[in-house]
Amino acid sequence: MDDQRRQVRVGLAQVDTRVGDLTGNAELVTRWTARAADAGVHLVVFPEMTLTGYPPEDLVLRESFAHASERAVVELAAALEKQGLGDVAVVVGYLAHTAGAGPAPAESMPHDDDRPSDANPRRGAPRNAAALLHGGEVVVRYYKRHLPNYGVFDEARYFVPGTELPVVRLHGVDVALTICEDLWVEGGPCGVAGQAGVDLVVSPNASPYERAKDDLRLPLVRRRAAEAKAPIVYCNQVGGQDELVFDGDSMVVSADGTLLARAPQFVEHLLTVDLTVDPTAVPARTEGRIGPMTVTRHVVSEEPVPAFDARPGTVAEPLTDCEEVWRALVLGLRDFIDKNGMPSVVLGLSGGIDSAVVAVLAADALGPDRVHGVGLPSRYSSEHSLTDAQDLATRVGLHYSVVPIAPMVDAYHSSVELTGVAAENLQARVRGTLLMGLSNQHGHLLLTTGNKSEVAVGYSTLYGDSAGGFAPIKDVPKTLVWELARWRNEHARTRGEVEPIPQHCIDKPPSAELAPGQVDTDSLPSYDELDAIIADYVDGDLGMAELLERGHGAETVARVLRLVDAAEFKRRQSAPGTKISLKAFGRDRRLPVTNRWRETLPTVREGASHE
């Protein structure tokens, strides 16, 4: 290595935080910084808003919380120094609260100032921030420039955008700070960094998981690395937070787009990469106003680190689609239960595919001893419903009991006359009441087992099978439920384990068993067809004409759309569940319950035909 080149070992601490736990999250940063120091890391990057957890939602609006976050980042810098970790530069996300009033902008493109607004007279400016800590001090603070306001993100509601891009010289290497959405914007902070001249860009992230999102991130980071003319260090959060689950998938990409290192998904992990930069390769290093941002430069140390033998970075093997989804659902369920301090879960085991998959997910997440299944047969339950449920419980090793509901249903009927759908739903409500009673009695959280297809068309009984505190497969279409069941059994076979899901649960026609001989296809199209329409209408927001152009039958589309629209009031009352799709029901899709708009068949012009 010649005198001009500089080396630096960077660590990406892909950690699982808890929203609101400032003390616990600070301790988490300290533990992982110590690991980084043991690994010889000079600069360690943590995810977006590590100290507060992400997303903190309306906690941002509490000045007490914001001020506590500000104190926490200063105290963390001092604590790291006190524990002998002050020589490691630490980039950590937190909630900042700057002086003066400042409105959250109405759109995702940020304003260039923080002037007070009569329409939004807040007493301070909350910021999505990252700080670089070194030597017991907060060296610089960066405020996120681009605030996403789409999908599950409401950052324009909460934060004031930043206008400054700090560049820190560490061991002779110029490091620029950005945060998450800043990478998704062409010509944003990475473009400013490229014009200013830097050696490295670090990006703390809290990027929620959805299917195949890991395939989008690498091309994105490559584009920003080319724009910055420097390597990008992309450190993402891992873990579950209410409906969201974060998969990690942290990575480092060189200026020419080479993937240098990539972390595994869905686990906490310290990813390290050794970088060598040549300061003479950057033709000019400027500061001051560049486009909408002001570049500032700060020096921590000019002296390069002593030369060391660089190690190649590790690149984690990608997961298959089903394994990726399964692990997302397991992590989302585990963190919801454990972060909320719940000891165990209970669910109704019907012998059907949905409750079977939820039971195995719960056992994988919590261990079978924390899972309690209950068989609740009615007069219409088939013999195989009980035997399949018992078989699954034996295979998985979870607790199982049977409580027949026929006497209770008969008692209701002796007091009030119910027929048709009302009588069918009574059975589901009796089951829901019993399960909630067991939940209260023993402290279990009740899991509801409805899938996305059922939730979409309202095929669940309000206060019956929809009752529960968490819905693990709420965002999983029925066809994917079957795929996951087959994958989980195959996964067990390859490991020499007992297949957890009885084959009969997978093979038999789905049925609510609320009436004699009932099957789902009595009143619904096939699930292949139904799920395709739901994906286009719910996830894709396609209208009637576009749905017909996709090849869906007009009568079937009209019927499905009526069901989806009419079930909105049910979905508003449903339990949260892990998001895995482009658009999940809940915070991702917000339609009015009281709503007269309905999709109609397109008008056919004279002389035209529509098949």
Side-chain angles (χ1 to χ4, degrees), residues 6-208:
R6 303 285 187 270
Q7 284 183 295
V8 62
R9 178 168 292 166
V10 179
L12 295 79
Q14 179 176 288
V15 296
D16 188 349
T17 59
R18 296 190 184 206
V19 167
D21 187 4
L22 296 173
T23 300
N25 293 334
E27 292 172 353
L28 189 72
V29 171
T30 302
R31 289 199 306 272
W32 284 84
T33 301
R35 294 188 189 186
D38 289 343
V41 166
H42 308 108
L43 167 67
V44 59
V45 183
F46 286 84
E48 181 177 9
M49 299 195 82
T50 299
L51 285 183
T52 59
Y54 187 92
E57 301 186 81
D58 278 13
L59 284 175
V60 170
L61 304 180
R62 296 189 192 176
E63 288 197 26
S64 59
F65 182 65
H67 289 312
S69 173
E70 286 275 15
R71 291 193 300 271
V73 75
V74 173
E75 292 167 358
L76 174 61
L80 291 170
E81 171 73 9
K82 185 176 181 179
Q83 296 191 33
L85 301 171
D87 290 340
V88 179
V90 176
V91 174
V92 62
Y94 72 106
L95 169 63
H97 192 268
T98 56
E107 66 285 334
S108 59
M109 283 301 294
H111 296 168
D112 284 337
D113 56 41
D114 303 324
R115 291 172 294 182
S117 165
D118 291 337
N120 192 357
R122 288 197 274 174
R123 292 173 291 167
R127 310 271 198 167
N128 184 333
L132 188 144
L133 315 180
H134 187 270
E137 302 291 335
V138 178
V139 177
V140 295
R141 303 168 188 260
Y142 171 74
Y143 304 132
K144 188 175 183 177
R145 172 68 179 166
H146 294 279
L147 304 174
N149 197 41
Y150 55 84
V152 300
F153 301 106
D154 290 311
E155 292 203 13
R157 165 183 168 87
Y158 298 116
F159 300 118
V160 173
T163 59
E164 183 177 296
L165 181 71
V167 179
V168 179
R169 179 159 294 177
L170 177 70
H171 302 303
V173 176
D174 282 348
V175 181
L177 276 64
T178 61
I179 299 175
C180 201
E181 186 74 9
D182 294 335
L183 288 183
W184 292 83
V185 178
E186 185 176 0
C190 287
V192 173
Q195 295 178 62
V198 301
D199 300 309
L200 180 65
V201 176
V202 299
S203 175
N205 285 261
S207 174

Side-chain angles (χ1 to χ4, degrees), residues 12-21 24-29 31-32 35 45-55 205-206 235-242 244-248 250 266-270 327-328 330-339:
L12 295 79
Q14 179 176 288
V15 296
D16 188 349
T17 59
R18 296 190 184 206
V19 167
D21 187 4
N25 293 334
E27 292 172 353
L28 189 72
V29 171
R31 289 199 306 272
W32 284 84
R35 294 188 189 186
V45 183
F46 286 84
E48 181 177 9
M49 299 195 82
T50 299
L51 285 183
T52 59
Y54 187 92
N205 285 261
C235 181
N236 193 31
Q237 178 174 314
V238 68
Q241 171 59 32
D242 294 345
L244 302 182
V245 64
F246 301 86
D247 60 323
S250 302
F266 305 110
V267 292
E268 291 189 303
H269 185 77
L270 177 67
R327 294 180 66 177
V330 166
L331 181 56
L333 174 56
R334 177 191 300 132
D335 271 8
F336 188 85
I337 299 301
D338 288 347
K339 289 181 179 181

Side-chain angles (χ1 to χ4, degrees), residues 438-462:
L438 293 172
S439 170
N440 292 159
Q441 180 68 31
H442 302 292
H444 313 310
L445 180 77
L446 175 57
L447 301 181
T448 181
T449 60
N451 60 65
K452 188 171 188 174
S453 310
E454 295 170 349
V455 171
V457 296
Y459 270 49
S460 61
T461 302
L462 202 58

